[in-house]
Amino acid sequence: MDISRMRPLTGEGRKLYIETYGCQMNVGDSEIVVSILQDEGFVYTERVEQADVVLINTCSVRDNAEQRVWGRLQELKRYRKGKPHLLIGVIGCMAERLKEQLAERGEVDIVAGPDAYRDLPRLVRLADEGGKGINVQLSREETYAEIAPVRLDKNGVSAFIAIMRGCNNMCSYCVVPYTRGNERSRDPRTILREAEALFAAGYREVTLLGQNVNSYRWSDGEGQVDFPELMRRVASVSPLLRVRFATSHPKDMSDRLLETMASMPNICRCIHLPAQSGSTRMLELMNRKYTREWYLGRIAAIRRLLPDCAITTDLIAGFCGETEEDHRQTLSLMREVGYEFAYMFKYSERPGTRAARHMPDDVGEEVKNARLTEIINLQNELSLESNRRDVGKVFEVLVEGDSKRSADRIFGRNSQNKVIVFDKGDHRAGDYVRVKVTSCSSATLLGEEVR
Ligand code: SAH
Ligand code: SF4
Ligand code: F3S
């Protein structure tokens, strides 16, 4: 007799719904969580009203990210009506940062930090028994290396591969080192296997993910693998597999990485290089470990080695002590680099960080708003200028799917990560098509196929 059949399994066909906030790392983590729980018999659903277990994968990077989750938890209470067995779990960075407050909430049954996902089946059992399932232990080793993520975004063309976890950089404004723990790299063999399996399943683009991918480093009996070498190996899976990466820290952006990129055309011509500020004084207070001049030196190296490379960034407006002059320097940096795209934020003080402990959050809300607006307006101009320069050029586009606006058009991306919309013809997702850009807005390029 099979004894294990007599004990009810944790999953038993129960429906699992998961909602993801925050960065791409969290998107990848949700796919790992679904994989772990599917192995226990849970069945994934996209419909919250059908769920027996609802997990919210959360972000703490700015206060508004956390406020959205508190609001969502309030809303989720209504699904409990008529469904007393429903379990609600909060996982991810906010679970790590606010476990006490979350555990106190009546509607929260499970609290799991980013390194505790293997323990979720046990945490569900604890909650089933009427208790609370809580685990926010951080780990020095966990990389979920051998877990095959269940791909939740179903375009079937592009996928994320987490290559490392955690962060050691301790930028003074940032909560990530506290919520995600120490930096650790994943075994390159498991990364390569994942890339090969994705390619065999029809995927044509992978993005290697980490908080600071260019400090990736693995060593074992067989030698050392650093980030340029890992890129080379992943890009060697097939010339038809595009490889991207995010995010790289400017301090570690080496010429060797740029040379590796230049030597392999399927490594995409797009580098996300968060500047945060254009003022050396601010960069010092932010503990970014580079100056404006040094950053511009890295930009010059990119332009030299990869002349057709797009450069994108993250910027923070109104960090502690930021003067009008510091702000002007951010605007001038933006113009000097001519970013293709930027994520732009208002500084949000995060409890426990070095900035929160030692630096007054002294730029008023109105000034922060005004500076952010100026940054956004300038970026819109720069994006439009960059798109206008592309009109008339021909790009190889990897098709991702149907255009949302029109059934007979499709969209894809060029190597520079810009979206291009064009007539469908007989193409489908996963095809490479040569497209000439005919017009643009600040967000999109329009084009036509060149045969
Ligand atoms: N590891 C990546 C991204 C981390 S979080 C990197 O270093 O670039 C993504 C972005 O959020 C950061 O680049 C930064 O621009 C922004 N950010 C982080 N903490 C913030 C805070 N306290 N207030 C506002 N923006 C913040
Ligand atoms: Fe945060 Fe800095 Fe680490 Fe990025 S590099 S996650 S901004 S501490
Ligand atoms: Fe947010 Fe955590 Fe990512 S704080 S940005 S979800 S690493």
Side-chain angles (χ1 to χ4, degrees), residues 27-51:
V27 175
D29 281 3
S30 288
E31 299 183 333
I32 285 168
V33 165
V34 172
S35 176
I36 290 169
L37 289 172
Q38 267 189 4
D39 283 352
E40 293 287 319
F42 286 91
V43 179
Y44 174 70
T45 175
E46 283 177 354
R47 300 183 50 189
V48 62
E49 65 280 5
Q50 292 185 343

Side-chain angles (χ1 to χ4, degrees), residues 100-118:
E100 282 94 8
Q101 286 97 312
L102 285 163
E104 276 169 17
R105 298 274 287 227
E107 72 271 26
V108 177
D109 305 294
I110 295 163
V111 181
D115 288 342
Y117 298 150
R118 285 181 206 266

Side-chain angles (χ1 to χ4, degrees), residues 103-388:
E104 276 169 17
R105 298 274 287 227
E107 72 271 26
V108 177
D109 305 294
I110 295 163
V111 181
D115 288 342
Y117 298 150
R118 285 181 206 266
D119 197 26
L120 275 169
R122 187 184 68 92
L123 301 180
V124 169
R125 273 195 294 277
L126 286 173
D128 280 341
E129 287 159 8
K132 296 218 178 206
I134 298 170
N135 184 349
V136 292
Q137 189 71 43
L138 285 172
S139 155
R140 286 186 170 274
E141 292 97 31
E142 181 63 273
T143 59
Y144 302 108
E146 78 303 344
I147 294 178
V150 173
R151 304 292 165 186
L152 299 177
D153 65 328
K154 286 193 280 291
N155 79 4
V157 177
S158 58
F160 297 125
I161 302 182
I163 63 162
M164 62 194 304
R165 299 182 71 81
C167 184
N168 289 348
N169 285 319
M170 300 304 261
C171 302
S172 58
Y173 51 81
C174 184
V175 78
V176 172
Y178 305 90
T179 61
R180 294 238 159 203
N182 280 308
E183 181 184 297
R184 64 221 101 119
S185 295
R186 174 178 170 191
D187 184 334
R189 284 161 299 199
T190 67
I191 297 171
L192 234 64
R193 267 201 298 265
E194 199 171 318
E196 284 160 359
L198 285 164
F199 185 73
Y203 283 83
R204 290 296 173 262
E205 182 177 276
V206 294
T207 304
L208 306 187
L209 281 187
Q211 294 300 349
N212 180 13
V213 285
N214 37 19
S215 68
Y216 175 91
R217 189 164 298 277
W218 178 266
S219 55
D220 60 17
E222 292 169 27
Q224 280 216 351
V225 181
D226 61 4
F227 187 61
E229 173 58 16
L230 181 72
M231 285 293 279
R232 198 191 58 72
R233 291 189 191 182
V234 175
S236 302
V237 166
S238 164
L240 290 177
L241 182 69
R242 281 185 171 178
V243 186
R244 302 185 183 278
F245 57 96
T247 301
S248 40
H249 193 295
K251 75 178 167 57
D252 299 317
M253 179 48 72
S254 67
D255 282 0
R256 237 189 90 229
L257 175 59
L258 298 173
E259 282 153 10
T260 306
M261 292 177 72
S263 72
M264 303 193 79
N266 57 325
I267 301 182
C268 289
R269 276 23 183 175
C270 180
I271 297 181
H272 186 62
L273 204 61
Q276 314 299 0
S277 169
S279 150
T280 295
R281 198 180 74 85
M282 281 292 110
L283 291 170
E284 167 98 44
L285 289 173
M286 290 174 162
N287 193 31
R288 288 292 286 182
K289 305 183 183 89
Y290 54 85
T291 61
R292 174 192 176 95
E293 291 65 35
W294 199 87
Y295 183 90
L296 285 170
R298 293 293 76 207
I299 299 294
I302 296 171
R303 300 271 183 244
R304 188 171 70 243
L305 292 160
L306 296 164
D308 58 346
C309 192
I311 301 176
T312 62
T313 200
D314 293 353
L315 295 165
I316 298 177
F319 184 61
C320 310
E322 187 187 70
T323 63
E324 200 54 33
E325 172 53 25
D326 294 315
H327 170 59
R328 297 278 137 223
Q329 299 226 3
T330 296
L331 297 172
S332 88
L333 181 86
M334 293 171 71
R335 279 199 197 88
E336 214 165 320
V337 179
Y339 292 113
E340 262 60 46
F341 176 85
Y343 293 104
M344 299 156 284
F345 311 103
K346 247 187 326 188
Y347 173 56
S348 163
E349 187 177 81
R350 307 315 292 132
T353 58
R354 201 156 91 200
R357 283 181 282 126
H358 300 297
M359 303 172 207
D361 180 10
D362 54 2
V363 178
E365 195 59 19
E366 269 176 39
V367 176
K368 276 187 193 171
N369 283 331
R371 289 181 187 169
L372 181 63
T373 306
E374 246 185 302
I375 289 174
I376 292 173
N377 290 342
L378 174 56
Q379 186 52 49
N380 286 340
E381 277 173 39
L382 295 173
S383 298
L384 182 61
E385 277 171 30
S386 158
N387 283 354
R388 284 199 177 129

Side-chain angles (χ1 to χ4, degrees), residues 6-27:
M6 294 173 61
R7 190 166 49 94
L9 294 169
T10 319
E12 295 175 89
R14 284 150 93 192
K15 295 217 167 65
L16 164 72
Y17 168 86
I18 186 162
E19 210 164 273
T20 308
Y21 297 82
C23 64
Q24 293 170 339
M25 294 294 298
N26 261 14
V27 175

